[in-house]
Amino acid sequence: MWSFGLEASEPEVVRCSSCLSTNEQTRAAAFRRPQDRVHYVVAHAALRERLAGYLGCAPAALGFRTGPHGKPELGEGFPATLRYNLSHSGGRALLAVARGCEVGVDLEQMNRDVDMAGVVATHFSATEQRTWAALPPSQKPAGFFHGWVRKEAYVKARGEGLLRNGAAYTVELDPARPAALLADVLVPDAPAHWRIEGLEVAAGFAAALAYAGPVRRVVVREL
Ligand SMILES: CC(C)(COP(=O)(O)OP(=O)(O)OC[C@H]1O[C@@H](n2cnc3c(N)ncnc32)[C@H](O)[C@@H]1OP(=O)(O)O)[C@@H](O)C(=O)NCCC(=O)NCCS
């Protein structure tokens, strides 16, 4: 896991841009807010530099494609076993990289003005709603954000994006208990195969990694 900040000076942004593809540069230019452009460029340059380091090639030489539901992956000619996933929020990014194992990662800044009760009622399963309702008020924000990133990490690992109904699967929502996938109505044996780990990356952020496959240990490095 690679954790890094996304702020950069303009010369650094220009340097980062130089390894991006034409598509990525077009996407970067389309952001209305300059800060979003900087964050996108820095995140995708770091992604290329990390993956190129594992593969022993130049960052600009990498090619990408998207899976059936939009999950980005390495393209034709690159090892299909090298899996990765990226998340960014509040000027930070988290990148998961693994060999021979599907991964999904989610990072959220916790001070956002979110209608927690509304999101829980519409996107969380009945079990999660009961767990969240039983938390003391002081624990509700942590339960919400840690639960949210655990859910998103699982959906992102599976690559299902917006297709997935958040109410159809349940993660451990109690911040005092280890992260876990507890149930998935659509894939009943999923809890036997998928692991979710909560990650400590920076004060004020919740983060989680989901993976299926042989992982010896999870290491978070700050870039
Ligand atoms: C794309 C999506 C999967 C993640 O979005 P997000 O949490 O807002 O943003 P993140 O920063 O964590 O992730 C964005 C990155 O994930 C990657 N990504 C894009 N589509 C993806 C997919 N289908 N699967 C996995 N990763 C994806 C990309 O690298 C993207 O970065 P980029 O836009 O700079 O290229 C999101 O739009 C989504 O579909 N979320 C599911 C919503 C939901 O029902 N959640 C229920 C949990 S409560």
Side-chain angles (χ1 to χ4, degrees):
M1 308 283 312
W2 298 94
S3 172
F4 50 100
L6 295 174
E7 303 304 340
S9 63
E10 199 51 37
E12 180 65 5
V13 174
V14 171
R15 189 195 69 77
C16 288
S17 280
S18 66
C19 74
L20 302 187
S21 67
T22 308
N23 276 352
E24 288 163 335
Q25 291 185 9
T26 304
R27 212 178 142 198
F31 284 105
R32 270 186 295 151
R33 294 198 315 163
Q35 191 186 43
D36 292 338
R37 177 183 66 87
V38 169
H39 290 177
Y40 177 88
V41 168
V42 173
H44 284 264
L47 164 67
R48 281 179 171 272
E49 282 162 12
R50 287 304 107 196
L51 294 181
Y54 290 105
L55 295 173
C57 66
L62 292 172
F64 298 96
R65 64 186 173 199
T66 50
H69 306 302
K71 182 173 183 175
E73 57 187 27
L74 282 165
E76 190 94 17
F78 296 96
T81 51
L82 189 68
R83 311 299 299 171
Y84 73 90
N85 197 229
L86 174 71
S87 183
H88 31 76
S89 173
R92 289 201 67 78
L94 196 54
L95 170 67
V97 185
R99 280 187 204 275
C101 167
E102 194 54 272
V103 287
V105 68
D106 195 52
L107 173 74
E108 292 290 338
Q109 192 172 29
M110 292 199 280
N111 66 358
R112 293 190 326 181
D113 186 17
V114 177
D115 170 15
M116 289 187 277
V119 174
V120 169
T122 49
H123 291 291
F124 284 31
S125 72
T127 304
E128 289 166 339
Q129 291 181 28
R130 279 195 297 275
T131 305
W132 195 71
L135 291 174
S138 64
Q139 289 292 300
K140 278 189 161 37
F144 174 80
F145 282 105
H146 288 285
W148 176 271
V149 295
R150 292 169 188 184
K151 288 178 79 64
E152 282 276 342
Y154 175 60
V155 169
K156 291 183 70 187
R158 299 187 66 99
E160 294 164 332
L162 292 167
L163 288 180
R164 203 60 149 88
N165 174 0
Y169 60 98
T170 299
V171 301
E172 180 54 71
L173 215 78
D174 186 340
R177 297 176 61 86
L181 176 69
L182 301 179
D184 185 338
V185 174
L186 300 182
V187 194
D189 66 346
H193 305 295
W194 287 90
R195 296 283 167 270
I196 302 178
E197 288 195 22
L199 305 168
E200 298 281 335
V201 292
F205 286 82
L209 168 73
Y211 57 90
V215 168
R216 268 180 299 167
R217 68 196 174 109
V218 176
V219 181
V220 182
R221 293 199 174 90
E222 184 75 23
L223 268 186

